[in-house]
Amino acid sequence: MKKIGLIASMALLSMTSVFAQNRSEQNHAERFEQLGPMLRTPNVYRTASGAPGHMYWQQQANYVINVELDDENQSIKGSEKVTYINNSPDQLTYLWVQLEENQRGADSNSPKVAESSISNRMTLRTLEGIIWANEDFGYKVLEVKDAKGNPLPVTVNQTMMRIDLPTPLKAGDSFTFGVEWSFNITNRVGYIAGRPGYEYFEGDGNYLYTMAEWFPRMAVYSDFEGWQNKQFLGRGEFALVFGNYEVNITVPADHMVGATGVLQNPSQVLSSTELERWNRAKQTYDAPVVIRTQEEATELEKGKATAKKTWKFKAENVRDFAWTSSRKFIWDAMAVKQGGKDVMAMSYYGKEANPLWGQYSTRVVAHTIKSYSSHTFDYPYPTAISVEAANGMEYPMICFNYGRPDSDGTYSEAVKNGMIGVIIHEVGHNFFPMIVNSDERQWTWMDEGLNTFMQYMAEQEWDRNFPSRRGPAHKIVPYMRSEKNTLEPIMTNSENIIQFGPNAYAKPATALNILRETVMGRELFDYAFKEYARRWMFKHPTPDDLFRTLEDASAVDLDWFWRGWFYGTEPVDISLENVAWFKLDQRTPAEKAADAKAEAEYDETNVSRTANMKDVPQTVIEANPETRDFYTTYNPFTVTPADEEAYKSFMASLSPKEKELLNSNMNFYELNFKNVGGLVMPIILEWQYTDGTSEIERIPAEIWRLNETEVTKVFAKKKEVKQIVLDPLRETADIDESNNYWPRQYQPTRFELFKGSGAARGASTGSNPMKRAKNN
Ligand SMILES: [Zn+2]
């Protein structure tokens, strides 16, 4: 502790500026500058506030589709009538249509641009992916005709098809065309592992189909991108147009079909018992009603119907349409009240998924709708379906999920929680990007990051102790700590990301969670996030619209946050470098003199003992009168009348407030912080006092605005401090917590004791026991 003299109140307050003068010349760059030109120029379509502009427009595509599933040969053939409405102010000479199925075909660029190498152990699946003998896959038949049945000129470039229009499509006009197609369905759990496909069940010889990206779909033409016709390589997902769908699906008569939209002809495709149960489910709000039971489904698995049934669905204002079909399906459903309307929460699953799915799936669907609605807008669709399909993928109103017990029906907590997590996630995607319809081909994080953040909240609302994989700040630390050459900013195209999950899911989810909990607070964040969801519901937002809206609705300048978390790769590592403790000097001249004398005598007796210690100030030794001749005539410990007079007049000059401060016995702690990681963040401190109490103090990130690398700040505390902890609740994703303590706390790095198979082997190779243990 050091004593500081009270000269004038101004002297105390200027301490930080004294330090500020010592900072180096280039201590701040642009971390707190506005994003400015990094964002799109606002216009009549998108405002500077982040809202749709007064001339906002978007295209529309309506579909009437007939499709037939061939369960013998695992193929489909379909025909569609597409009505494309040009709401843009532009005249279009051609249309672009997406053909994702070609990504699985022989000419696909996907295997060509995939790096590969041979290792000692290769799986058959990996080798098949390299050989890519895919002549049977991709679109087989593809005929495009105008409304009168005349062929239209088309150019197929990989996964994109250009239709050249007979006459330019004027602003406000629409164009109707038809497509006929067929393709062989791929094995979803095989080497062309993809979102759609079939899974074959050896035990009963049946197939389960999840049909997605299964029809030629309109690409998006927008004010910010023109045609989004970037090729589909398998990762960067979809950019799709809203529209209305009428889809007729013909399948074997013993199949159960689930799809986007509302079933139009239940009495034609369901048995009378099933119909009765379905109608009961629509009135049941407390538990799922099983419409096709496990016993009934298992019985159906034994035969193969030759007759067919056509399931008719309608869906309004959706950006896509997916469906599932199998004779294996058990089906349950319950009604959920949401925003004054009923939503049917439903699940389709094979017996392999029970008892887990019957117990949880539909209940989790219902929970997800409620949780997400509370943070955004009321779920606007009439149904929400979860299908057990050994993968996880989302579509409007329907999604495919995983989570199967062992064959004896038992399951671990991990399997159960994995299943609950994936259902929340995929059902949650209805909000982002199915309704808040961002461009997935360009920005994976805009739906995955936002959705993973929402998933985290929904999981914690499901169970306060839910072991959420992503969301809490400390969980992103291993990624933030990883090698610089494996990191890209979140603002990176889907296809160009090395660590995909951490970059596009976990980091943006964590960033939003930090915004909510630490930077903005729940009240400001929740309002602004809701505003973003409401503004862009059933529209096409860009990242700028999100960044701008969150600031616009909260009065929190977040440009530094977007720069650091979304445009940068630096991690957070704030170090509490130094702490100095000061007290105001309250002593009279006589007390000061006595203290100085005692100090000198102490030094005299201890100087030889302490002489070797580096920290004995030289001034103390020099001031020792016994060792300096010129001191012998002068006693520094005598208080002169001048000293007394100066003290008296100083005390008399103090105002009552100044006197109160002088007598307050305040402790002043001067803390010095270094920004080691680079990413600026708020400084969160826990003060632990000697009386056993503690308090948390939060300093906004703007403390770094004049010096991004080092700041010093003085804190006045009535109590004496025993310990200071930086980021005590682990809110900032600080990658090195060893420099977060004063006094420093050293924590052991754990290593594993590894028992090798031969005594000499481990020692002679000198290999890392941790690595070897992992590889075994
Ligand atoms: Zn997702």
Side-chain angles (χ1 to χ4, degrees):
M1 192 239 290
K2 290 181 205 161
K3 302 225 169 175
I4 43 174
L6 185 73
I7 301 163
S9 52
M10 283 310 292
L12 248 183
L13 295 173
S14 67
M15 284 192 66
T16 47
S17 53
V18 170
F19 266 87
Q21 281 163 15
N22 294 337
R23 72 196 188 206
S24 69
E25 290 296 315
Q26 298 193 334
N27 50 31
H28 66 291
E30 53 172 21
R31 285 185 173 90
F32 286 94
E33 288 309 305
Q34 294 298 291
L35 288 171
M38 289 164 80
L39 301 182
R40 290 169 205 277
T41 307
N43 54 39
V44 291
Y45 312 121
R46 281 155 212 276
T47 69
S49 70
H54 72 277
M55 290 179 76
Y56 177 85
W57 56 267
Q58 64 189 19
Q59 307 293 68
Q60 189 181 344
N62 300 326
Y63 298 79
V64 178
I65 311 178
N66 293 300
V67 62
E68 184 165 343
L69 172 69
D70 182 345
D71 186 34
E72 285 294 305
N73 301 299
Q74 293 79 54
S75 65
I76 61 162
K77 67 170 198 264
S79 67
E80 67 182 358
K81 191 182 86 178
V82 183
T83 303
Y84 186 69
I85 303 164
N86 181 17
N87 294 319
S88 82
D90 312 325
Q91 180 167 290
L92 303 174
T93 50
Y94 46 77
L95 308 179
W96 282 101
V97 175
Q98 313 188 58
L99 304 172
E100 285 85 357
E101 200 55 35
N102 280 351
Q103 185 257 337
R104 292 174 264 275
D107 296 330
S108 173
N109 268 350
S110 282
K112 293 174 193 161
V113 299
E115 286 188 70
S116 49
S117 57
I118 298 285
S119 61
N120 283 343
R121 299 167 74 189
M122 301 285 285
T123 65
L124 206 58
R125 192 166 142 166
T126 308
L127 288 174
E128 280 179 321
I130 291 169
I131 297 163
W132 201 261
N134 281 19
E135 291 74 21
D136 291 339
F137 301 112
Y139 278 94
K140 293 279 121 185
V141 173
L142 191 67
E143 286 171 13
V144 185
K145 290 170 181 167
D146 67 14
K148 290 178 188 144
N150 303 313
L152 284 166
V154 299
T155 302
V156 174
N157 173 10
Q158 297 267 322
T159 62
M160 288 287 165
M161 174 170 71
R162 192 186 68 229
I163 302 177
D164 297 336
L165 297 171
T167 54
L169 181 58
K170 292 198 188 97
D173 281 3
S174 65
F175 180 72
T176 299
F177 63 96
V179 188
E180 282 179 29
W181 74 92
S182 73
F183 62 77
N184 292 322
I185 300 166
T186 50
N187 178 359
R188 178 163 37 76
V189 292
Y191 69 95
I192 324 176
R195 297 161 187 84
Y198 67 78
E199 180 180 1
Y200 177 65
F201 291 79
E202 268 181 26
D204 52 65
N206 284 293
Y207 291 84
L208 189 159
Y209 300 89
T210 53
M211 299 311 299
E213 297 95 69
W214 57 280
F215 60 99
R217 306 182 293 178
M218 286 308 306
V220 170
Y221 180 77
S222 67
D223 61 287
F224 61 91
E225 184 72 37
W227 282 105
Q228 174 49 292
N229 54 9
K230 186 173 166 59
Q231 295 289 340
F232 179 54
L233 286 172
R235 194 199 258 170
E237 287 184 331
F238 313 110
L240 295 158
V241 186
F242 284 110
N244 302 321
Y245 285 72
E246 214 180 299
V247 182
N248 306 310
I249 305 167
T250 302
V251 297
D254 51 0
H255 271 217
M256 173 69 72
V257 176
T260 302
V262 176
L263 179 62
Q264 302 295 303
N265 60 338
S267 58
Q268 288 170 348
V269 292
L270 302 180
S271 72
S272 56
T273 315
E274 287 166 349
L275 193 60
E276 180 274 316
R277 292 169 183 163
W278 167 238
N279 287 327
R280 186 147 46 84
K282 289 197 231 173
Q283 320 280 334
T284 307
Y285 298 88
D286 53 349
V289 172
V290 182
I291 298 156
R292 182 171 285 176
T293 67
Q294 181 161 339
E295 293 68 37
E296 290 159 355
T298 309
E299 194 55 35
L300 287 169
E301 283 180 347
K302 293 170 188 163
K304 278 190 171 33
T306 50
K308 290 168 183 174
K309 275 182 185 172
T310 299
W311 297 60
K312 296 171 189 266
F313 292 91
K314 273 189 183 172
E316 280 174 18
N317 212 8
V318 287
R319 56 166 245 172
D320 199 2
F321 190 102
W323 52 283
T324 186
S325 183
S326 181
R327 62 176 61 83
K328 292 179 64 64
F329 279 141
I330 302 160
W331 177 27
D332 71 44
M334 69 187 271
V336 183
K337 278 243 178 290
Q338 184 59 53
K341 285 193 301 186
D342 280 1
V343 178
M344 290 307 293
M346 316 198 252
S347 300
Y348 296 79
Y349 44 97
K351 62 180 186 296
E352 292 76 11
N354 255 344
L356 202 45
W357 274 62
Q359 176 71 29
Y360 291 107
S361 178
T362 296
R363 288 180 169 92
V364 175
V365 174
H367 167 75
T368 306
I369 290 169
K370 287 180 186 163
S371 169
Y372 276 60
S373 293
S374 74
H375 295 290
T376 54
F377 42 75
D378 286 328
Y379 182 71
Y381 290 138
T383 68
I385 299 170
S386 162
V387 182
E388 200 288 311
N391 70 356
M393 187 57 203
E394 68 277 9
Y395 299 95
M397 298 185 229
I398 187 168
C399 57
F400 307 129
N401 304 308
Y402 54 76
R404 279 180 203 166
D406 291 336
S407 52
D408 65 356
T410 62
Y411 53 85
S412 63
E413 275 294 296
V415 167
K416 185 186 100 180
N417 290 330
M419 169 223 179
I420 292 169
V422 74
I423 294 175
I424 290 174
H425 181 96
E426 307 303 352
V427 172
H429 268 306
N430 273 296
F431 294 81
F432 307 96
M434 298 306 151
I435 296 166
V436 180
N437 188 355
S438 56
D439 179 350
E440 298 177 274
R441 187 64 45 90
Q442 179 63 21
W443 309 117
T444 298
W445 70 267
M446 278 202 80
D447 69 299
E448 296 300 354
L450 269 61
N451 184 42
T452 302
F453 162 67
M454 299 278 296
Q455 175 193 351
Y456 168 64
M457 290 193 289
E459 284 173 350
Q460 296 303 309
E461 288 165 15
W462 171 266
D463 178 350
R464 272 199 66 166
N465 297 313
F466 194 89
S468 293
R469 221 155 50 93
R470 291 162 170 165
H474 68 92
K475 298 220 169 188
I476 198 67
V477 164
Y479 171 68
M480 300 299 277
R481 212 187 256 153
S482 53
E483 293 287 331
K484 280 261 175 275
N485 61 6
T486 67
L487 296 173
E488 314 84 13
I490 291 172
M491 287 291 287
T492 297
N493 180 272
S494 239
E495 300 294 341
N496 311 337
I497 297 168
I498 296 173
Q499 300 187 63
F500 192 59
N503 175 293
Y505 291 64
K507 189 179 170 186
T510 309
L512 290 168
N513 194 30
I514 289 173
L515 269 188
R516 183 173 192 249
E517 301 291 355
T518 303
V519 176
M520 298 169 76
R522 289 187 181 182
E523 197 183 335
L524 288 174
F525 177 88
D526 288 352
Y527 180 87
F529 191 75
K530 241 184 203 180
E531 181 66 10
Y532 167 73
R534 276 198 305 255
R535 284 177 172 184
W536 292 98
M537 176 182 192
F538 294 120
K539 292 191 173 72
H540 300 288
T542 67
D544 309 21
D545 301 317
L546 173 69
F547 297 154
R548 285 171 162 154
T549 298
L550 260 57
E551 296 191 8
D552 191 64
S554 70
V556 183
D557 177 7
L558 296 171
D559 283 32
W560 64 270
F561 190 87
W562 308 132
R563 270 183 191 276
W565 280 90
F566 288 76
Y567 290 87
T569 59
E570 286 174 335
V572 178
D573 179 12
I574 301 175
S575 168
L576 175 50
E577 285 285 297
N578 242 312
V579 176
W581 177 20
F582 298 90
K583 271 183 117 75
L584 273 174
D585 205 337
Q586 299 162 315
R587 296 169 301 175
T588 61
E591 284 166 342
K592 274 188 199 171
D595 283 354
K597 189 156 188 270
E599 228 167 83
E601 281 163 10
Y602 177 86
D603 288 336
E604 192 181 356
T605 49
N606 293 280
V607 73
S608 59
R609 187 169 61 80
T610 59
N612 291 332
M613 288 172 66
K614 275 195 218 143
D615 57 355
V616 174
Q618 285 304 306
T619 50
V620 172
I621 295 169
E622 283 168 11
N624 185 341
E626 303 296 318
T627 60
R628 294 276 183 235
D629 288 346
F630 64 88
Y631 279 127
T632 52
T633 55
Y634 166 66
N635 185 348
F637 308 129
T638 309
V639 178
T640 65
D643 288 343
E644 288 284 9
E645 198 45 50
Y647 177 71
K648 266 187 201 149
S649 70
F650 170 72
M651 290 303 283
S653 75
L654 294 179
S655 70
K657 273 223 156 140
E658 284 171 329
K659 255 183 204 145
E660 194 186 314
L661 178 63
L662 183 64
N663 295 325
S664 66
N665 202 25
M666 276 277 206
N667 299 288
F668 294 93
Y669 294 94
E670 181 191 271
L671 273 57
N672 172 255
F673 304 94
K674 281 221 165 83
N675 179 6
V676 182
L679 180 47
V680 287
M681 282 295 272
I683 294 174
I684 305 158
L685 294 169
E686 182 180 43
W687 300 91
Q688 297 173 4
Y689 299 109
T690 49
D691 69 357
T693 61
S694 65
E695 67 171 327
I696 287 180
E697 188 162 352
R698 292 167 182 273
I699 314 296
E702 281 80 358
I703 180 105
W704 300 102
R705 75 201 183 284
L706 298 179
N707 189 336
E708 293 164 1
T709 53
E710 185 177 356
V711 292
T712 299
K713 189 172 177 61
V714 179
F715 298 83
K717 299 290 171 192
K718 287 206 173 96
K719 295 177 179 178
E720 238 174 64
V721 171
K722 186 176 66 187
Q723 175 161 276
I724 305 169
V725 183
L726 190 57
D727 193 15
L729 303 173
R730 310 181 88 197
E731 294 171 68
T732 66
D734 192 320
I735 65 165
D736 180 4
E737 293 179 328
S738 71
N739 55 22
N740 287 13
Y741 295 88
W742 177 81
R744 279 277 188 276
Q745 279 189 358
Y746 293 95
Q747 283 150 341
T749 304
R750 292 179 201 282
F751 65 94
E752 281 174 43
L753 186 63
F754 177 72
K755 190 175 174 187
S757 52
R761 199 174 129 224
S764 63
T765 58
S767 61
N768 179 343
M770 271 173 78
K771 273 193 177 154
R772 285 183 50 200
K774 264 188 186 166
N775 292 341
N776 284 348

